[in-house]
Amino acid sequence: GSLASILNVISDCQLNLTKIQSLPKIDTPWMYAFFIDVTFQNYQDYKKAISIMKIMAQDFKILGEYKNAKL
């Protein structure tokens, strides 16, 4: 259920999910960490998605933000 809720936020905020990977959390049975890559057209939509996901997730970190070199 939690993953589906996050994916709905990504969709509602017009983000494009390009990669998702899950790894089990060490010493925490049945808990997983998810790593995602997204692209977006509107920075405000991205910031809105981030603020919503921070509320929804138990532990939320941004590992990096990069400008698309093709633009």
Side-chain angles (χ1 to χ4, degrees):
S2 298
L3 177 59
S5 297
I6 293 291
L7 293 174
N8 283 331
V9 171
I10 291 170
S11 175
D12 292 345
C13 292
Q14 306 298 312
L15 304 184
N16 181 33
L17 179 66
T18 59
K19 181 179 179 181
I20 185 168
Q21 180 177 1
S22 65
L23 296 172
K25 294 179 85 174
I26 298 173
D27 297 329
T28 312
W30 304 106
M31 296 292 289
Y32 293 84
F34 290 91
F35 299 87
I36 63 170
D37 286 340
V38 297
T39 60
F40 55 90
Q41 295 296 320
N42 184 322
Y43 189 70
Q44 294 306 317
D45 289 340
Y46 167 72
K47 294 304 280 185
K48 178 182 175 184
I50 295 302
S51 66
I52 295 169
M53 289 188 281
K54 282 184 177 181
I55 294 168
M56 297 173 69
Q58 288 180 352
D59 187 23
F60 185 90
K61 296 178 188 174
I62 297 175
L63 302 179
E65 295 178 355
Y66 310 93
K67 184 174 180 179
N68 187 348
K70 294 180 183 179
L71 296 178

